[in-house]
Amino acid sequence: MEKRGLSIWGMILRLAALMGLTFAAVHVHARDLEPWKQRQNAIIVDAYELNSIDWEAMLKDKRIVGFIAKASDGLPESFSCTGDHGGDTVAHCKTMWRKYAVSRELYQTRRMIARSHGLLWGAYHLARPGNPVDQANHFLDYADPRDDEVMVLDLEGIDPEKFMSLEDAAIFAGHIRARTGRYPILYTNHITAKYIAANRYKHRLLSRLPLWYARYKPDIRTVFPMGNWDSYALWQFSSSHNCGKRRCPYRVPGTLNDIDVNVAAMSASALKAVWAQGALLPEKPPVLTVVASATRGTAPAASAKAVVSLDRPAFLVSRATAASKSGSGVDMTVTGSIAVKAAEAHLPHQAERR
């Protein structure tokens, strides 16, 4: 029995080797272990309108090479303050208009200061439930992005009751591309990025947008690669979540603990060359999971499992029969069971009749 079991295992392992499968996990590079501590890597600050910034102090940090500001938020407000509003609605309308006008002037002022000091500039839209085309137009009207400025879709989660749905997010990105000729990059957290990557067959556009990754951990070597993302475009590693008075991953001069700080795993000059982004990432081939099993006589069945990426969705197993099935919700994953015939395994005919 022992020899038979070893023979079966050997046959399965030879089959796996023949198909070029591997059982080893691939780990990522040191860029995913506290890359902000490597002084050659560029630092980028991002802020919303209520972040306090002393620009003179902040600009003394020469590692800071870029600034991304919040631009629009959800759907545009209605600023028609005429007619019967019933009570204090007119006052509320005027208050919202003033808030909008002040925040947009602050955005433009910050852009002027940043660009005049040679910083790279970008803008993000906070995605909310509601018409994605109207939100995309609102973002472009508010941010007025230039060709050398990065555009960002900020997607905070996958609950469509709280955040823009993934389907609408794809429409938003497509409309930005239609109007500007460039796609935005995607800002999101680990849970949302992992979900999109696991379901990239359903979310093919979102899964190919360059990823601005929000995760407040010192080490992400166990979570990349994910789907089409081999790594991040930017990594938001510090915010009010993990920065306090006593301890902070990176302190930006002239700001409080609530400022968001990001790193690019490249030099300032390299980042400048790719900053505006605009293209989709390559789509990786589907993943094939193969489960091979074989039996001899009354010996217990032996099996092995391996995973491989294919250049094309079809495959051929010589002198074996294969059955497979797949579903659209499993990222083009094909699970196949390969039954090796006893005769083809050179087993005695007597064993076949048992």
Side-chain angles (χ1 to χ4, degrees):
M1 293 288 293
E2 184 178 358
K3 289 184 178 179
R4 289 179 180 177
L6 290 174
S7 175
I8 293 170
W9 273 108
M11 178 173 57
I12 293 171
L13 292 175
R14 285 193 297 272
L15 176 62
L18 178 65
M19 297 181 66
L21 305 179
T22 179
F23 295 91
V26 179
H27 296 284
V28 294
H29 303 288
R31 67 188 175 210
D32 301 327
L33 176 61
E34 298 185 319
W36 52 90
K37 291 186 176 181
Q38 301 177 34
R39 295 198 60 82
Q40 73 274 15
N41 288 339
I43 296 295
I44 302 94
V45 172
D46 73 275
Y48 74 113
E49 59 270 18
L50 296 182
N51 283 126
S52 175
I53 301 173
D54 180 340
W55 282 87
E56 186 176 5
M58 190 189 76
L59 289 167
K60 292 179 181 179
D61 186 344
K62 299 306 178 183
R63 287 192 63 191
I64 297 175
V65 302
F67 193 101
I68 302 176
K70 179 185 175 183
S72 49
D73 187 331
L75 290 165
E77 289 280 352
S78 174
F79 299 119
S80 176
C81 299
T82 59
D84 183 10
H85 290 269
D88 63 355
T89 308
V90 173
H92 175 72
C93 177
K94 291 181 178 179
T95 298
M96 294 305 297
W97 167 250
R98 284 194 296 269
K99 180 181 177 181
Y100 173 84
V102 170
S103 69
R104 191 160 186 269
E105 184 173 349
L106 175 62
Y107 171 87
Q108 293 170 333
T109 301
R110 285 178 169 178
R111 176 161 67 176
M112 180 181 63
I113 296 173
R115 291 183 64 100
S116 68
H117 285 85
L119 295 184
L120 302 170
W121 181 263
Y124 70 87
H125 172 81
L126 185 56
R128 307 278 192 182
N131 189 303
V133 173
D134 288 347
Q135 292 193 56
N137 289 331
H138 180 35
F139 169 69
L140 294 176
D141 293 343
Y142 188 110
D144 190 21
R146 303 177 189 179
D147 291 342
D148 61 348
E149 298 174 352
V150 69
M151 300 176 290
V152 185
L153 169 60
D154 180 352
L155 192 60
E156 298 285 337
I158 59 176
D159 184 351
E161 296 295 323
K162 298 179 180 179
F163 314 107
M164 181 183 285
S165 70
L166 298 183
E167 292 75 16
D168 282 353
I171 295 173
F172 177 99
H175 191 69
I176 295 294
R177 169 67 172 79
R179 282 195 55 183
T180 67
R182 294 185 292 135
Y183 286 106
I185 68 172
L186 176 65
Y187 169 92
T188 197
N189 53 47
H190 173 71
I191 294 175
T192 306
K194 183 178 179 180
Y195 180 87
I196 293 172
N199 297 275
R200 61 189 172 103
Y201 178 61
K202 292 170 59 178
H203 305 293
R204 297 180 69 177
L205 192 150
L206 290 184
S207 67
R208 295 180 62 192
L209 296 177
L211 178 62
W212 179 4
Y213 184 58
R215 188 167 174 84
Y216 311 113
K217 305 285 186 180
D219 185 0
I220 58 171
R221 288 176 295 180
T222 60
V223 298
F224 270 101
M226 294 190 298
N228 290 311
W229 293 310
D230 286 325
S231 188
Y232 51 86
L234 299 174
W235 174 5
Q236 187 180 94
F237 64 90
S238 181
S239 73
S240 58
H241 292 85
N242 63 341
C243 181
K245 292 183 178 179
R246 293 186 177 182
R247 189 174 297 178
C248 187
Y250 193 99
R251 294 198 184 277
V252 176
T255 69
L256 303 178
N257 298 330
D258 62 343
I259 198 74
D260 293 337
V261 192
N262 311 268
V263 64
M266 62 184 74
S267 66
S269 58
L271 179 63
K272 184 177 181 179
V274 299
W275 176 253
Q277 298 285 343
L280 296 177
L281 299 173
E283 188 170 30
K284 292 182 181 178
V287 176
L288 173 69
T289 302
V290 176
V291 180
S293 63
T295 59
R296 177 180 179 179
T298 58
S303 64
K305 181 180 179 180
V307 179
V308 65
S309 295
L310 300 181
D311 293 332
R312 50 186 179 275
F315 72 102
L316 175 64
V317 179
S318 177
R319 303 185 66 189
T321 59
S324 65
K325 62 181 179 179
S326 65
S328 61
V330 291
D331 188 22
M332 297 184 71
T333 298
V334 180
T335 301
S337 294
I338 302 175
V340 181
K341 294 181 179 179
E344 295 179 337
H346 306 293
L347 298 179
H349 292 289
Q350 184 178 1
E352 286 185 29
R353 294 193 294 268
R354 291 182 181 179

